């Protein structure tokens, strides 16, 4: 039986000494360090729940509409509903007909869009909001990723944005009263060459200066943690060591969409599925509403969180984005007994793997080289990933794979998102998350809600504007992005 | 996996090829005179079209020549192959 390290070894990140912070990349927009987000510095009085002060100390700015009507989930509600054979559970969210107009419309009902709506209501008191989803909630990339959460990016701008997310993850289940099964089981990034190890040392050192937990493990320490990993010197992909972020882990992606939808709905947000946006109506350079498959809906502001289809929506407003949409695949095996209790990523050989709570091995493959909107990819990409996985974990060679799928990822030239305003007033875009958006779900919604509500970026997303492609202030995170593209 | 017909070598598996992205992007002839926005548009902005589009492919493990494929980005069906220069692109 493997020793599970879940719950052990977590450390609160230490604030870096300002004098020792790494110099800002020349020419880069200056990013506000995370410690300026004051409420996140408060630690919870209950160590066991690790709830950030976001949940408990900030009073909700608005009375919650329908809050009395929303059943809170608890052990008592579970017992009460068991008496009626679980036939009386309230629907997790309403499915209203669209109103003629809203203050804010969010296009895209994935995790990021739902988080945006939730934080618009919670943090900014804007509850006259609709989330329009062309399919079903979380049916896009939210339900197609490999559920990995971490914040060990290289540059300050990106690392602080993902770290904000990780801290929100740490209190999310309590905040939205929905168990997203966030499990901080640690994330390993393997190094297979001297250059890999130099890059790992550089990134770990950068993370520690940023106040983000990170450590370097030797090959022996990696082997002790993951006994089934082939670390022999004769291995095709020799393991020289790894970086480890213990606070990283996984969360149940469907639950994230459902929980955020329920929490947003409870604050008055209308969640409208099967509603495709077909046009964006503008007057005098300002957005006034959207054409949809269910008729015209007026809007004071429109936030687009459409992932792989961002370029399609942008074209409706005559905008061009620096994005290419590619299929990204993942697959799961049949359930097996516990063999992997952490997340193992290998950028160089391009495979990443974890084991879900029900025993499936969850494996992420690479992106297809061509642009594509079909939610499937090529077999040879999976074949390459599985070849690498079998080299690293020889004992998995006869595990059968159960399911395989693809999602459409919007890849940005610098592997960083675009989060901000556009030349059209009242129209905002949140896109370009590429292969790594799931981990950023809470902070993406948090800063995007701020950007929409205040019509100016939050300090944490100021550097991620569309203008950076004109100014040249790119934030190159290809090394930390995990998937080569 | 796509089956791509190289104009010189005939039908081959996708793994022999390297995709060079959207076709028809022309480098400004006088970079010194264009604005930052125009340069950014050339360098980074893409139409990323959903549906039929033209893209460049390179027969990396074959004749090592570039050509253009018309392909649907939803169905992945290949609609036609062009040699470079046929539609006015620089060769």
């Amino acid at each position: 039986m493997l020793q599970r390290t879940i719950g052990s070894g977590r450390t609160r990140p230490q604030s870096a000494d300002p004098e020792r912070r790494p110099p800002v990349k020349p020419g880069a927009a200056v990013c506000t360090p995370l410690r300026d987000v004051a409420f996140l510095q408060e630690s919870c009085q209950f160590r066991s729940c690790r709830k950030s002060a976001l949940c408990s100390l900030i009073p909700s700015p608005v009375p919650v509409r329908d809050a009395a009507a929303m059943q809170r989930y608890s052990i008592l509600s579970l017992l009460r509903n068991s008496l009626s054979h679980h036939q009386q559970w309230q629907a997790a969210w309403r499915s209203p007909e669209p109103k003629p107009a809203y203050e804010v419309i969010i296009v895209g009902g994935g995790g990021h869009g739902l988080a945006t709506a939730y934080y618009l209501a919670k943090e900014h008191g804007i509850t006259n909001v609709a989330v329009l989803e062309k399919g079903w909630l979380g049916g896009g990339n939210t339900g197609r990723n490999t559920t990995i959460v971490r914040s060990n990016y290289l540059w300050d701008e990106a690392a602080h944005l993902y770290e904000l997310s990780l801290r929100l993850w740490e209190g999310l289940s309590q905040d939205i009263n929905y168990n997203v099964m966030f499990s901080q089981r640690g994330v390993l990034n393997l190094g297979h060459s001297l250059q890999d190890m130099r890059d790992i040392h550089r990134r770990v050192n950068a993370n520690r200066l940023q106040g983000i937990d990170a450590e370097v493990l030797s090959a022996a320490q990696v082997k002790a943690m993951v006994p089934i990993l082939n670390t022999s010197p004769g291995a095709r992909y020799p393991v020289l060591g790894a970086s480890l972020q213990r606070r990283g882990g996984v969360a149940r992606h469907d639950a994230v969409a459902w929980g955020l939808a329920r929490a947003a709905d409870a604050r008055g947000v209308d969640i409208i599925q099967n509603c495709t946006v077909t046009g964006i109506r503008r007057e005098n350079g300002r957005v006034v509403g959207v054409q949809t498959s269910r008729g015209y809906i007026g809007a004071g502001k429109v936030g687009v969180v459409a992932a792989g289809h961002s370029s399609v929506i942008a074209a409706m407003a005559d905008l061009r984005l620096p994005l290419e949409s590619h299929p990204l695949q993942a697959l799961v095996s049949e359930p097996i007994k516990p063999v992997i209790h952490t997340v193992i990523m290998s950028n160089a050989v391009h495979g990443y793997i974890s084991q879900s709570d029900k025993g499936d091995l969850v494996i992420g493959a690479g992106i297809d080289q061509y642009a594509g909107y079909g939610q499937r990819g090529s077999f040879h990409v999976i074949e390459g990933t599985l070849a690498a996985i079998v080299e690293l974990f020889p004992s998995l060679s006869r595990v059968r794979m159960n399911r395989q799928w693809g999602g459409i990822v919007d890849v940005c030239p610098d592997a960083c998102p675009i989060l901000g305003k556009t030349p059209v007033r009242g129209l905002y875009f949140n896109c370009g998350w590429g292969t790594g958006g799931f981990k950023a779900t809470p902070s993406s919604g948090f800063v995007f809600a701020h950007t929409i509500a205040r019509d100016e970026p939050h300090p944490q997303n100021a550097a991620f504007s569309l203008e950076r492609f004109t100014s040249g202030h790119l934030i190159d995170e290809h090394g930390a992005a995990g998937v080569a593209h | 996996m796509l089956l791509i017909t190289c104009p010189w070598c005939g039908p081959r598996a996708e793994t022999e090829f390297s995709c060079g992205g959207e076709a028809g992007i022309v480098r400004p002839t006088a970079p010194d005179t264009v604005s930052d926005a125009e340069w950014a548009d050339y360098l980074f902005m893409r139409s990323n079209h959903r549906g039929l589009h033209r893209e460049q492919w390179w027969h990396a493990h074959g004749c090592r020549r570039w050509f253009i494929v018309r392909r649907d980005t939803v169905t992945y069906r290949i609609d036609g192959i062009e040699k470079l220069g046929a539609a006015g692109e620089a060769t």
Side-chain angles (χ1 to χ4, degrees):
Chain A
M1 193 69 177
L2 289 170
Q3 284 229 319
R4 296 188 79 82
T5 58
I6 298 167
S8 68
R10 294 180 195 156
T11 49
R12 296 295 297 181
Q14 305 295 311
S15 288
D17 178 349
E19 303 305 316
R20 295 183 55 208
R21 296 185 63 76
V24 174
K25 199 166 45 157
V30 177
C31 170
T32 305
L34 192 59
R35 61 178 177 279
D36 289 356
V37 186
F39 63 83
L40 286 168
Q41 297 304 305
E42 310 280 346
S43 57
C44 179
Q45 53 186 316
F46 304 107
R47 260 194 90 212
S48 59
C49 88
R50 298 179 49 74
K51 182 158 66 173
S52 83
L54 177 69
C55 328
S56 56
L57 298 184
I58 304 284
S60 180
V62 279
V64 176
R65 201 190 86 180
D66 293 335
M70 186 188 90
Q71 293 173 341
R72 277 191 67 79
Y73 293 158
S74 68
I75 185 71
L76 288 176
S77 70
L78 192 60
L79 290 172
R80 197 163 46 242
N81 279 280
S82 69
L83 298 176
S84 52
H85 304 281
H86 298 290
Q87 298 298 308
Q88 304 297 322
W89 284 104
Q90 185 188 55
W93 55 84
R94 301 163 293 128
S95 291
E97 284 300 309
K99 290 193 279 191
Y102 291 90
E103 188 175 346
V104 178
I105 284 179
I106 304 296
V107 180
H112 290 230
L114 293 164
T116 305
Y118 172 64
Y119 288 118
L120 270 173
K122 186 186 180 207
E123 299 295 326
H124 304 281
I126 300 172
T127 57
N128 186 14
V129 177
V131 177
L132 308 183
E133 164 57 46
K134 71 171 177 175
W136 67 94
L137 293 188
N141 293 352
T142 299
R144 294 168 185 268
N145 54 69
T146 49
T147 79
I148 300 170
V149 176
R150 61 189 174 90
S151 65
N152 52 357
Y153 281 65
L154 178 64
W155 298 108
D156 284 358
E157 297 89 342
H160 289 314
L161 184 61
Y162 290 105
E163 176 63 12
L164 171 62
S165 195
L166 184 46
R167 295 194 193 185
L168 290 168
W169 276 114
E170 287 173 338
L172 191 65
S173 289
Q174 289 81 9
D175 188 28
I176 62 177
N177 180 231
Y178 201 103
N179 185 5
V180 298
M181 297 171 71
F182 180 50
S183 163
Q184 292 178 294
R185 56 184 65 186
V187 175
L188 287 166
N189 284 86
L190 300 182
H192 299 289
S193 66
L194 284 176
Q195 187 57 47
D196 278 1
M197 291 310 296
R198 290 188 195 107
D199 292 342
I200 283 172
H201 276 283
R202 181 189 183 201
R203 186 157 47 81
V204 164
N205 288 341
N207 289 154
R208 293 169 80 105
L209 288 167
Q210 286 151 349
I212 295 169
D213 76 303
E215 52 197 281
V216 178
L217 299 190
S218 67
Q221 287 172 307
V222 175
K223 179 73 175 174
M225 195 169 165
V226 188
I228 66 165
L229 181 66
N230 181 8
T231 57
S232 66
R236 181 175 178 191
Y237 305 122
V239 176
L240 303 190
S243 72
L244 170 63
Q245 183 176 26
R246 292 188 191 273
R247 288 165 61 245
V250 293
R252 184 177 175 213
H253 51 202
D254 297 319
V256 174
W258 300 334
L260 285 168
R262 174 171 167 269
D265 175 86
R267 289 175 183 269
V269 172
D270 281 0
I271 290 162
I272 299 161
Q273 301 179 74
N274 300 311
C275 182
T276 310
V277 170
T278 54
I280 295 178
R281 191 177 293 179
R282 290 158 290 157
E283 283 173 12
N284 303 319
R286 183 173 182 89
V287 71
V288 293
V290 293
Q291 288 290 353
T292 77
S293 56
R294 294 171 68 170
Y296 175 76
I297 308 175
K301 294 175 176 177
V302 174
V304 179
V305 203
H309 282 72
S310 297
S311 299
V312 177
I313 306 277
M316 295 174 190
D318 301 319
L319 296 174
R320 274 160 67 78
L321 297 173
L323 299 178
E324 275 196 357
S325 296
H326 290 267
L328 175 67
Q329 297 180 88
L331 58 166
V332 295
S333 76
E334 59 189 340
I336 58 174
K337 288 191 175 180
V339 288
I340 293 174
H341 67 289
T342 183
V343 180
I344 301 142
M345 307 178 63
S346 174
N347 296 7
V349 301
H350 213 156
Y352 40 108
I353 187 167
S354 64
Q355 191 170 16
S356 76
D357 290 339
K358 63 181 176 181
D360 317 351
L361 297 170
V362 184
I363 298 169
I367 65 170
D368 275 279
Q369 57 175 334
Y370 50 78
Y373 284 90
Q375 287 174 317
R376 63 186 188 280
S378 297
F379 179 72
H380 68 91
V381 175
I382 292 179
E383 194 178 23
T385 291
L386 287 181
I389 292 290
V390 170
E391 289 288 344
L392 291 171
F393 306 97
S395 60
L396 301 183
S397 65
R398 293 165 76 183
V399 175
R400 285 166 297 188
M401 293 298 142
N402 245 359
R403 289 177 290 121
Q404 157 268 335
W405 63 89
I408 303 304
V409 296
D410 41 338
V411 175
C412 220
D414 57 357
C416 271
I418 298 163
L419 258 167
K421 298 164 73 169
T422 67
V424 180
R425 278 180 290 133
L427 181 64
Y428 308 84
F429 264 81
N430 179 352
C431 58
W433 290 95
T435 58
F438 176 69
K439 66 176 80 68
T441 301
S443 71
S444 163
F446 189 88
V447 299
F448 197 47
H450 184 284
T451 306
I452 293 172
R454 310 275 183 89
D455 195 35
E456 62 180 23
H458 187 278
Q460 299 296 335
N461 69 309
F464 296 96
S465 67
L466 187 55
E467 287 79 50
R468 75 176 187 270
F469 296 96
T470 306
S471 67
H473 295 168
L474 303 192
I475 306 159
D476 184 0
E477 284 290 1
H478 282 285
V483 177
H485 33 47
Chain B
M1 192 187 299
L2 305 177
L3 183 66
I4 299 172
T5 305
C6 170
W8 291 278
C9 310
R12 300 292 181 90
E14 180 200 329
T15 44
E16 290 190 16
F17 298 87
S18 182
C19 185
E22 187 177 321
I25 297 170
V26 181
R27 189 176 197 272
T29 47
D32 293 346
T33 62
V34 302
S35 68
D36 286 353
E38 288 168 320
W39 187 249
D41 193 79
Y42 154 69
L43 208 54
F44 296 121
M45 302 301 162
R46 298 291 178 263
S47 65
N48 197 20
H49 188 64
R50 187 179 195 273
L52 201 61
H53 91 147
R54 297 168 74 244
E55 63 194 5
Q56 309 173 103
W57 285 82
W58 181 45
H59 197 181
H61 300 287
C63 63
R64 301 178 68 79
R65 288 161 93 167
W66 287 91
F67 57 98
I68 289 174
V69 174
R70 281 198 313 277
R71 188 177 60 87
D72 191 304
T73 56
V74 181
T75 65
Y76 300 169
R77 190 177 62 83
I78 291 175
D79 190 57
I81 307 280
E82 302 165 18
K83 289 183 181 175
L84 270 178
E89 278 94 353
T91 52

